[in-house]
Amino acid sequence: MDVLQLDVSGRPQAWLTPKEAATLYVLDHVAWTLGKPCMVMRGGTQRRTGLPSRLSLHPIVAVHGAIPARTWAQAPALSNPKLFQRDRQICAYCGGRFPWTALTREHIVPTSRRGVDSWTNCITACKSCNGRKGNRSLHEMGWQLYYLPYVPSLYEDMILRGRRILSDQMAFLLASVPANSRLHN
Ligand SMILES: [Zn+2]
């Protein structure tokens, strides 16, 4: 499992390994937690009592510290795994659902025509549709998009980045995801 790290105001910051999360507890950086403890870490032997030390980890931890305001103004980084997940592995041209290995990052306005590599110019396409479209525009092809691209919010981005998301974590993140997001489907 991974632990969801928030800033002290409740905005998501990162996914942590249990070991990284344990370090936050030990260094007393944890401001508050959400959810029932989901994992017990065993440390070394406590010198004073001779008993093994145990640390309960919560699925969501908020940490003390300054909030870098710059972070929130930036769009989340674009990657193929996140793009394919945003689009539910559905080709925007033919509407088919494909395994990751058959999918490509497709630029609606081709990069050869100054299309940019951004969340709003990129959609998921199967290899076959991508090959057929080539460097042409949607208009030239007479094609329409099955869905519209969008920039994921910070909360959506954490869902797209998560590997094994626990139900407490998913509930917390989804509560702040816009109702029109495809992640609700
Ligand atoms: Zn297709």
Side-chain angles (χ1 to χ4, degrees):
M1 59 149 252
D2 291 327
V3 171
L4 177 61
Q5 180 189 317
L6 312 177
D7 69 24
V8 77
S9 76
R11 284 181 296 194
Q13 290 189 314
W15 290 107
L16 305 176
T17 64
K19 206 172 168 189
E20 289 167 333
T23 305
L24 292 176
Y25 284 82
V26 170
L27 296 179
D28 209 16
H29 288 328
V30 175
W32 46 272
T33 63
L34 282 177
K36 284 187 191 149
C38 52
M39 193 183 197
V40 176
M41 299 275 284
R42 281 164 204 279
T45 310
Q46 289 174 300
R47 214 181 298 165
R48 225 172 351 144
T49 60
L51 297 169
S53 63
R54 288 160 148 261
L55 183 62
S56 295
L57 300 184
H58 295 78
I60 303 173
V61 298
V63 297
H64 294 293
I67 302 158
R70 192 164 43 85
T71 313
W72 315 112
Q74 289 169 346
L78 176 62
S79 71
N80 280 4
K82 291 200 292 185
L83 179 71
F84 299 163
Q85 225 191 314
R86 181 197 71 175
D87 297 341
R88 313 316 262 165
Q89 295 174 244
I90 291 169
C91 172
Y93 296 141
C94 68
R97 195 161 196 274
F98 296 89
W100 284 36
T101 50
L103 294 173
T104 59
R105 182 192 304 195
E106 160 68 10
H107 297 87
I108 302 171
V109 178
T111 47
S112 60
R113 295 184 174 192
R114 298 187 184 180
V116 290
D117 197 37
S118 68
W119 284 106
T120 47
N121 190 45
C122 287
I123 44 91
T124 298
C126 71
K127 284 181 176 163
S128 161
C129 287
N130 193 331
R132 281 173 64 201
K133 180 168 172 288
N135 285 332
R136 282 164 293 187
S137 69
L138 277 183
H139 182 71
E140 285 164 345
M141 295 300 288
W143 285 2
Q144 286 188 331
L145 294 175
Y146 264 77
Y147 52 78
L148 293 176
Y150 64 92
V151 183
S153 72
L154 184 65
Y155 295 86
E156 280 181 288
D157 188 54
M158 291 310 290
I159 295 173
L160 298 177
R161 281 161 62 181
R163 291 177 301 173
R164 297 169 302 265
I165 304 180
L166 303 176
S167 57
D168 280 344
Q169 296 165 339
M170 190 56 108
F172 173 83
L173 291 169
L174 273 181
S176 296
V177 168
N180 60 356
S181 164
R182 283 193 284 278
L183 296 187
H184 285 294
N185 300 330

